[in-house]
Amino acid sequence: MPMQNLKIAIQGIEGSNHHKVIRDYFEAETQIKACATFREVVYALVNNQVEASLMAIENSIAGSILPNYRLLIDANLQITQEFYLNISHNLVALPNQSLNDITQVKSHQMALHQCGNFFSKHPHIKLIEDVDTALPAKLIAKNQQKNLAALVPNGTAELFGLEVIQPNVQDTNTNETRFVLLKKPTQTENQDANKATLHFELKHEQGNLANLLTTMSELGMNLTKIQSIPIAHKQWNYAFIVDVRFKHIRDYKKLIRVLNASTEVIQTLGLYKSGRT
Ligand SMILES: O=C(O)C(=O)C[C@]1(C(=O)O)C=C[C@@H](O)C=C1
């Protein structure tokens, strides 16, 4: 589905997975602000340098990117859309090298996590975290660096004139990352919304979480994710992030009314159309 032409902040440069989401889902004219960190992605929007920000939030192998939830909560932005991208990690290097020649791999922390099985079989390779998947690949080509490899999506090796030493080194073939599109809050409600991301802190009372889950079930909602995250200023207390799917926004509003009684903090992080049918 083509998207409106916006200036969007992403994490990573051309050839990264964030960039692939833009290519797959947005119009060709979409302007990009490439950022080196997720914090930069979020604050580019907060500081009005862009109209939207695209941010990875979870991966089917490596799990939730908890710091990104915290950024989202603290910056008070809204999830307006979600996108699922199939992720392939191809091990790439300068041409005419084999796996035995590679002593270091530089990549994004989440990408390295998704390839743990492969690297545990090749312990001679040192893993080094970098800002994204594409930048180390670009620099290997620019500096003609031997013995160094990167993990890149399909198509990125060709972009930089590198060679694939080993394709698909992620732990499982079915590897997906979920990305969210963030915007500043507005008064307009998305009438197509059938999914919400909700953040709350529960009062420490017996049965509160169980009651909440029962209420969701009674309202016919499908809980697609529940995640606890630490609250730094309340040591060993946790906030919850919940994704729910529903048929009618009015049911979601009912849920919020019920939750108001049992929660200390409650914040809708987005009401949007599910990226899954
Ligand atoms: O470095 C990239 O290619 C990114 O887009 C970042 C990122 C992530 O943050 O999870 C995106 C998808 C993959 O899961 C690996 C890395």
Side-chain angles (χ1 to χ4, degrees):
M1 191 202 358
M3 312 292 308
Q4 64 278 42
N5 189 359
L6 300 170
K7 183 163 184 189
I8 303 179
I10 65 169
Q11 198 265 338
I13 61 165
E14 183 180 5
S16 70
N17 287 291
H18 278 75
H19 192 263
K20 212 161 185 284
V21 176
I22 298 285
R23 263 200 355 238
D24 286 2
Y25 289 100
F26 292 77
E27 286 179 356
E29 299 75 32
T30 302
Q31 291 179 62
I32 286 169
K33 177 175 168 53
C35 301
T37 64
F38 288 121
R39 174 169 289 276
E40 229 185 275
V41 168
V42 164
Y43 282 89
L45 178 57
V46 170
N47 298 325
N48 300 316
Q49 294 163 17
V50 292
E51 284 112 36
S53 286
L54 181 75
M55 181 168 85
I57 200 80
E58 61 177 323
N59 171 267
S60 58
I61 297 175
S64 293
I65 311 181
L66 291 189
N68 289 4
Y69 277 110
R70 183 47 68 195
L71 281 170
L72 181 54
I73 291 166
D74 292 346
N76 195 29
L77 298 173
Q78 286 288 299
I79 299 173
T80 58
Q81 279 174 281
E82 64 173 5
F83 306 96
Y84 290 85
L85 185 76
N86 217 338
I87 304 283
S88 294
H89 292 302
N90 301 301
L91 190 74
V92 299
L94 287 177
N96 305 318
Q97 293 183 98
S98 74
L99 190 55
N100 286 336
D101 298 318
I102 302 304
T103 55
Q104 294 189 337
V105 170
K106 284 189 180 174
S107 196
H108 190 272
Q109 171 193 358
M110 290 304 285
L112 294 170
H113 279 315
Q114 292 159 35
C115 305
N117 293 347
F118 176 80
F119 290 119
S120 68
K121 290 186 199 123
H122 302 283
H124 71 283
I125 299 178
K126 187 176 173 202
L127 306 180
I128 302 168
E129 286 180 17
D130 213 321
V131 291
D132 72 344
T133 53
L135 186 65
K138 188 177 180 176
L139 293 179
I140 289 171
K142 184 171 174 240
N143 303 328
Q144 291 292 296
Q145 257 177 300
K146 287 191 174 157
N147 311 114
L148 177 61
L151 290 171
V152 297
N154 294 341
T156 300
E158 296 80 346
L159 183 69
F160 299 128
L162 298 178
E163 209 168 78
V164 176
I165 290 185
Q166 185 103 22
N168 290 312
V169 298
Q170 66 274 6
D171 288 357
T172 57
N173 275 334
T174 47
N175 181 29
E176 274 191 332
T177 296
R178 177 176 166 234
F179 295 80
V180 287
L181 188 74
L182 307 177
K183 289 192 182 163
K184 287 202 161 171
T186 61
Q187 295 302 321
T188 350
E189 204 168 73
N190 179 353
Q191 293 308 316
D192 289 340
N194 62 358
K195 186 170 179 181
T197 298
L198 177 65
H199 157 237
F200 55 85
E201 293 177 19
L202 285 174
K203 291 179 187 160
H204 263 301
E205 288 164 6
Q206 193 182 335
N208 261 351
L209 184 59
N211 291 341
L212 180 150
L213 298 176
T214 307
T215 308
M216 284 178 181
S217 158
E218 283 169 358
L219 289 167
M221 292 182 170
N222 183 6
L223 178 84
T224 57
K225 173 174 180 139
I226 181 162
Q227 175 75 58
S228 65
I229 65 166
I231 308 168
H233 61 277
K234 292 186 192 166
Q235 207 173 31
W236 306 121
N237 277 265
Y238 296 87
F240 290 93
I241 308 283
V242 153
D243 285 343
V244 276
R245 286 192 61 166
F246 49 81
K247 287 204 179 70
H248 304 289
I249 289 192
R250 63 169 183 270
D251 292 332
Y252 179 73
K253 289 183 175 163
K254 243 186 241 170
L255 175 72
I256 298 300
R257 281 199 292 277
V258 176
L259 286 191
N260 271 327
S262 55
T263 49
E264 285 185 335
V265 171
I266 180 160
Q267 179 189 17
T268 295
L269 298 176
L271 270 168
Y272 50 97
K273 191 164 163 42
S274 168
R276 289 274 193 246
T277 43

